[in-house]
Amino acid sequence: MSKKKINWLSLFLEFFVVLVGILIAFQLTEYAESKRREQNLETHFNDIFKETEYNQRNFSYAKSIADWNLKKIDSTLTLILEKGDLNEINRLSHDILNYGGLYIRQNAYTSLVESGDMKYFKRFEERKAVVDLYEYYVWVQLIESLSSNSFSEDIIPYFKANFDLVNQTVQPRSSYDNKQYLNALATYRMSIAQKITKYADCEKIIAGFIKFYNER
């Protein structure tokens, strides 16, 4: 019985065809995955841009309230120190209770981080622009929390103990013109001034990010 001769050339060609097919399939898969990552990153970037525009409006509103509060405190301190009209001092004091505050939306950034897509940024400038923006938000939130603490720990307790929050009736001058209340106002004023400065700085960062997005 004769042995069947192996056609090595045919076998090699079949192996080669299979290998090429596997390599092509692998390349196509890699290309499809790369395109998917690019699309995901673009979606993340667009969502962050929309979120930034939303935050920009919030910053503008919060800054206007903070400016308003700062002026109210300055007017109140001036009137108290100059022994001014008690009705006006009382009115301004109650106006200060309009705290305002700032909400910074971070849903889009959280989605980017949790997805793990952050590492796929091809351009360092894009990744840096996003990270810098949201890191600055952290600084703003820290200053915001200090101002909130001053409001809740210095202003609110004094009002509850010494003012008529229901009817807002005028109190004796001693309720306004005393070291505790003046120090509480001064401390709160300093925290508001700090956050106004931080708001303004962050507005520049936001404007820079929006400019970067539109020019990319």
Side-chain angles (χ1 to χ4, degrees), residues 146-169:
L146 293 176
S147 181
S148 176
N149 289 342
S150 176
F151 181 76
S152 60
E153 295 174 7
D154 298 323
I155 299 297
I156 293 299
Y158 188 85
F159 267 73
K160 290 171 69 175
N162 297 279
F163 291 170
D164 180 3
L165 294 175
V166 177
N167 301 307
Q168 297 188 10
T169 55

Side-chain angles (χ1 to χ4, degrees):
M1 183 175 180
S2 61
K3 292 183 179 179
K4 186 177 180 181
K5 188 177 180 181
I6 299 175
N7 189 337
W8 291 104
L9 178 60
S10 176
L11 190 62
F12 174 77
L13 288 175
E14 288 180 12
F15 174 77
F16 179 76
V17 169
V18 171
L19 180 62
V20 169
I22 293 173
L23 290 174
I24 291 175
F26 179 76
Q27 289 296 324
L28 288 174
T29 302
E30 280 291 299
Y31 177 77
E33 182 64 18
S34 177
K35 294 298 292 183
R36 185 191 67 80
R37 288 197 295 261
E38 287 180 8
Q39 291 171 355
N40 286 347
L41 279 176
E42 191 62 26
T43 299
H44 285 306
F45 216 79
N46 291 338
D47 289 345
I48 285 174
F49 173 72
K50 294 174 184 177
E51 187 167 85
T52 303
E53 288 189 314
Y54 174 87
N55 287 334
Q56 187 179 44
R57 293 191 293 271
N58 279 5
F59 267 91
S60 179
Y61 176 73
K63 187 171 179 292
S64 68
I65 296 296
D67 285 330
W68 182 85
N69 273 329
L70 192 66
K71 292 175 182 177
K72 292 288 183 179
I73 293 174
D74 286 342
S75 297
T76 304
L77 287 170
T78 298
L79 281 172
I80 292 174
L81 295 175
E82 293 180 352
K83 310 296 182 184
D85 180 61
L86 282 179
N87 287 292
E88 185 65 8
I89 292 173
N90 184 66
R91 184 186 69 80
L92 289 171
S93 293
H94 284 276
D95 283 347
I96 294 169
L97 290 178
N98 180 18
Y99 174 74
L102 171 68
Y103 169 67
I104 301 175
R105 183 181 290 174
Q106 301 186 64
N107 298 341
Y109 181 70
T110 300
S111 176
L112 170 62
V113 173
E114 291 181 349
S115 70
D117 291 335
M118 180 76 80
K119 61 179 175 290
Y120 295 122
F121 272 113
K122 291 183 178 179
R123 294 179 58 197
F124 172 76
E125 295 82 1
E126 289 185 349
R127 187 179 191 280
K128 185 176 185 301
V130 172
V131 172
D132 286 353
L133 175 64
Y134 283 85
E135 281 187 349
Y136 209 89
Y137 286 161
V138 175
W139 281 102
V140 174
Q141 288 172 322
L142 174 61
I143 300 299
E144 183 72 30
S145 67
L146 293 176
S147 181
S148 176
N149 289 342
S150 176
F151 181 76
S152 60
E153 295 174 7
D154 298 323
I155 299 297
I156 293 299
Y158 188 85
F159 267 73
K160 290 171 69 175
N162 297 279
F163 291 170
D164 180 3
L165 294 175
V166 177
N167 301 307
Q168 297 188 10
T169 55
V170 177
Q171 304 301 302
R173 187 173 293 276
S174 59
S175 295
Y176 311 98
D177 192 358
N178 64 77
K179 184 177 180 180
Q180 184 181 354
Y181 186 49
L182 291 172
N183 282 345
L185 287 177
T187 301
Y188 185 42
R189 184 199 183 283
M190 182 171 61
S191 72
I192 292 177
Q194 288 176 335
K195 75 177 183 178
I196 288 174
T197 300
K198 216 63 179 175
Y199 285 172
D201 290 343
C202 198
E203 283 182 317
K204 294 177 183 176
I205 301 293
I206 289 173
F209 177 83
I210 291 175
K211 183 174 183 293
F212 173 81
Y213 176 89
N214 290 327
E215 292 178 353
R216 57 193 276 271

